Amino acid sequence: MYGFRSVMGMNGMVTSPHCIATTAGLEILQKGGNAVEAAIVVASVIAVTYPHMNGIGGDNFWLIFDSKDGQVKSLQACGASGIRCTPEAYRKKGYQDAIPFRGVLAANTVPGAVDGWYEAFKYSKNYLGGQFTFKELLEPAIRYAEEGYPVSRGQSVWTKNSLSALAAVLGEGPILKNFAEMFLKPSGANYSPGERFRAPKLAKTLRSVAEGGREAFYFGPIADQIASYMQEHGGMLTSGDFSAHQSRWDDALSIRYRAWRVFNSPPPTQGLSSLQILSILERYPIKEWGDNSVQYYHVMVEATKRAFQDRDAYLADPERYRVPIDMLLSHDHIREMADSIDMTYAMNMNHRSIAGDTVWMGTVDKSGNAVSLIQSTYFEFGSGVVAGDTGVLLQNRGSSFSLNQDAANVLEPRKRPFHTLNPAMALRDGVPELVYGTMGGEGQPQTQAAVLTRILDLKMDVQAALDAPRCLYGRTWGEENPALNVESRLDDNVVRGLTRLGHHVQVVNPWDDKMGHAQAIWIDHETKSMHGGADVRGDGIAAGI
């Protein structure tokens, strides 16, 4: 068994990839708050303390289990493209084949995170008896932005690693200068782990949002300043795009996986891919094989390849493109994909690789309410654009749009882009047993499958399941790598076996960031205890009461 045993609690559990965010959420539970209120605190604090992975200028997606009605709600707080965003507009600016990944033209979708927090807050008030005001829930984030917090290892490393890439794209102009003023010392030096980092401009924006709610962000001075900055530098977004934004409540997708009902977010996310992989895996004897076997990794990768073929062909904004969800999750289609897996060789496949840096966080309260929440600015530091004096670092999620008119995910005005983000939750007998998720672009469905099968099929301790060696097919974290990446801790016999089957195996570091930062909460319904874990590849912790 790998690593330390999971953290345990009886009356609540919080996990996230940043320790300060976790403890801030736990404090809300200790004061009698519910899982949604705790999640809002975690999400807003981590938007301050983990700025390379997420922020107020990004999107978020929620799964909320309401213990009163026994239902899982899906909240999609993702922004649409601006009214001026068309393939023709990009071609006039010299981009014929693809949208740039950085800069103002990459920031072409409205940030949805703030509206997600506020929609969740209203749900808490209206249905869960939430006792805190929106302002009270945002106070910890404001305090850390004003007074500062110790820089994490991840923030220090990824700021250093991202600077040269951003400079190459943004040039030595005002946009890079604004970024440097936000994330570097006045001397221009990088922050080292443990040094105090403050974000006073972001604190001012957060205080306006805390006092005025979502209206303060999407109407008035904040939206006007972001839009003016974008237009001044050749960007696409307008203040009208902000005022037109609205999050969507939708039916969560779900499948039956053995004794569990597994939920995930619907399109435009790749939640469908995560469910397809599990549906394929259900047809194989995972418990008999164990996770230290060639068969386990081979089937995991082959299921991923097949799910990604569907993802690349179909997933887009369902309000603009008909996504055949029922067919893609149908018994016949899953059986066809599962039957096509050959246990004697690996299928060759080319697919578009998708990067993405993200945070996932989970909360469970003493009443049994649960939240699975994921929040992101897409790439590390998103577009690299800090809009004026707002302290808002804008996402580059809209760079995933295609400029090909025949593509499902083609760029159109007021359209939501394809999203890698997909929070997950597994219920047994109608109540949550596993709340889980991860960051890592297209690694998310793969890591989710590994976490779920290890905890539910193989009955591993939560922290042990997160610590166990993982693999990643494709690419994440901005690398173009079609290989099957496996951590060096994986058994040599398994590595050799996968190579013999034709997988292009590449051995990477023992705790490689490529594998994502996963977290999970498992509820033991026999003992009524909660077990939480946080990925040691990240900077987070789990904490319970």
Side-chain angles (χ1 to χ4, degrees):
M1 189 169 286
Y2 305 98
F4 299 101
R5 294 194 61 79
S6 57
V7 172
M8 291 185 286
M10 299 294 290
N11 294 310
M13 183 69 63
V14 179
T15 183
S16 85
H18 195 280
C19 56
I20 290 176
T22 294
T23 55
L26 188 71
E27 184 177 356
I28 290 294
L29 293 183
Q30 289 171 325
K31 292 178 178 178
N34 62 51
V36 173
E37 292 174 312
I40 294 169
V41 171
V42 177
S44 57
V45 168
I46 206 168
V48 173
T49 61
Y50 223 47
H52 53 301
M53 292 288 137
N54 80 123
I56 192 173
D59 290 336
N60 53 44
F61 291 82
W62 302 63
L63 291 183
I64 300 173
F65 176 79
D66 186 333
S67 62
K68 289 186 175 66
D69 65 11
Q71 300 298 309
V72 176
K73 278 78 175 180
S74 172
L75 173 59
Q76 300 191 14
C78 58
S81 55
I83 193 67
R84 296 162 45 187
C85 295
T86 64
E88 292 75 20
Y90 277 85
R91 292 190 180 105
K92 287 180 181 178
K93 292 180 179 290
Y95 296 94
Q96 304 299 317
D97 300 318
I99 296 170
F101 289 124
R102 305 286 194 177
V104 292
L105 292 177
N108 58 16
T109 61
V110 176
V114 169
D115 196 43
W117 300 346
Y118 201 73
E119 283 292 315
F121 165 73
K122 290 193 296 183
Y123 188 91
S124 169
K125 279 290 187 185
N126 293 336
Y127 300 103
L128 301 180
Q131 61 176 305
F132 293 95
T133 66
F134 192 62
K135 183 178 180 180
E136 288 173 328
L137 295 176
L138 263 59
E139 276 299 331
I142 295 168
R143 183 174 69 251
Y144 285 116
E146 287 179 340
E147 299 177 6
Y149 63 88
V151 167
S152 68
R153 176 196 64 86
Q155 181 179 342
S156 179
V157 169
W158 281 99
T159 304
K160 179 180 179 181
N161 292 347
S162 300
L163 276 174
S164 58
L166 288 170
V169 176
L170 302 178
E172 298 293 334
I175 295 177
L176 185 65
K177 180 175 180 292
N178 223 31
F179 178 90
E181 288 178 353
M182 177 86 173
F183 295 108
L184 300 180
K185 297 178 182 179
S187 65
N190 187 29
Y191 284 89
S192 298
E195 291 188 300
R196 185 180 294 267
F197 180 93
R198 296 179 177 90
K201 293 178 181 179
L202 178 58
K204 183 179 178 181
T205 293
L206 285 169
R207 189 165 293 283
S208 295
V209 171
E211 294 173 351
R214 56 97 58 197
E215 302 293 306
F217 188 82
Y218 295 97
F219 298 85
I222 295 174
D224 290 344
Q225 186 178 166
I226 295 174
S228 295
Y229 186 85
M230 295 294 285
Q231 291 169 36
E232 177 186 350
H233 295 285
M236 296 285 191
L237 292 179
T238 69
S239 56
D241 296 328
F242 278 75
S243 61
H245 174 74
Q246 186 174 9
S247 297
R248 295 164 174 82
W249 290 93
D250 207 343
D251 295 331
L253 297 184
S254 71
I255 60 163
R256 191 74 184 175
Y257 179 82
R258 308 194 202 282
W260 297 272
R261 172 65 62 177
V262 183
F263 291 82
N264 213 303
S265 53
T269 80
Q270 63 177 344
L272 186 142
S273 302
S274 295
L275 296 182
Q276 282 186 320
I277 291 171
L278 289 177
S279 294
I280 294 171
L281 293 177
E282 186 184 27
R283 296 171 175 271
Y284 289 91
I286 301 298
K287 187 174 182 180
E288 177 183 324
W289 289 342
D291 71 328
N292 193 32
S293 66
V294 176
Q295 298 98 317
Y296 176 82
Y297 285 95
H298 175 69
V299 169
M300 187 84 69
V301 174
E302 295 302 296
T304 297
K305 292 176 182 177
R306 285 148 178 84
F308 282 178
Q309 285 181 319
D310 281 349
R311 180 198 69 184
D312 295 349
Y314 294 109
L315 289 189
D317 187 343
E319 294 186 354
R320 299 294 185 87
Y321 180 84
R322 181 183 174 276
V323 182
I325 296 173
D326 290 342
M327 181 277 288
L328 295 172
L329 289 177
S330 69
H331 175 84
D332 289 344
H333 186 64
I334 297 298
R335 180 182 60 192
E336 182 180 347
M337 288 197 291
D339 289 348
S340 71
I341 294 176
D342 191 318
M343 296 302 295
T344 65
Y345 77 95
M347 178 179 76
N348 291 322
M349 179 189 129
N350 292 317
H351 77 285
R352 61 185 179 95
S353 294
I354 299 171
D357 298 320
T358 302
V359 294
W360 179 90
M361 57 213 92
T363 60
V364 180
D365 65 29
K366 63 182 179 181
S367 298
N369 302 302
V371 174
S372 179
L373 168 60
I374 196 163
Q375 187 166 272
S376 174
T377 51
Y378 199 26
F379 283 22
E380 70 280 355
F381 292 111
S383 66
V385 177
V386 179
D389 292 326
T390 64
V392 177
L393 175 69
L394 295 170
Q395 66 184 351
N396 62 332
R397 182 63 60 175
S399 63
S400 67
F401 279 121
S402 173
L403 296 181
N404 179 357
Q405 294 285 4
D406 297 326
N409 195 41
V410 62
L411 176 65
E412 294 173 328
R414 301 279 164 84
K415 180 180 181 179
R416 294 176 295 167
F418 164 79
H419 263 272
T420 53
L421 308 186
N422 64 117
M425 187 182 297
L427 275 61
R428 184 167 187 168
D429 298 327
V431 291
E433 182 168 338
L434 183 63
V435 181
Y436 66 111
T438 183
M439 57 77 70
E442 65 184 8
Q444 288 182 39
Q446 303 177 61
T447 299
Q448 282 190 17
V451 169
L452 181 141
T453 53
R454 282 170 166 152
I455 295 174
L456 298 186
D457 285 314
L458 303 179
K459 309 302 180 186
M460 292 177 66
D461 172 76
V462 173
Q463 191 60 53
L466 298 174
D467 289 348
R470 294 205 289 262
C471 69
L472 173 68
Y473 169 75
R475 129 191 128 135
T476 190
W477 288 75
E479 293 187 0
E480 188 60 48
N481 184 0
L484 172 59
N485 295 280
V486 300
E487 291 183 298
S488 60
R489 297 179 295 124
L490 188 61
D491 189 286
D492 288 342
N493 292 323
V494 175
V495 175
R496 286 192 290 268
L498 291 170
T499 302
R500 284 194 297 270
L501 290 176
H503 294 282
H504 179 206
V505 177
Q506 178 172 296
V507 178
V508 298
N509 293 329
W511 301 96
D512 205 300
D513 277 338
K514 291 185 182 73
M515 303 302 160
H517 304 159
Q519 282 77 230
I521 300 170
W522 176 67
I523 299 99
D524 184 345
H525 294 293
E526 290 186 8
T527 63
K528 309 299 182 184
S529 59
M530 305 172 189
H531 302 245
D535 204 318
V536 296
R537 301 166 184 84
D539 297 292
I541 59 171
I545 55 175

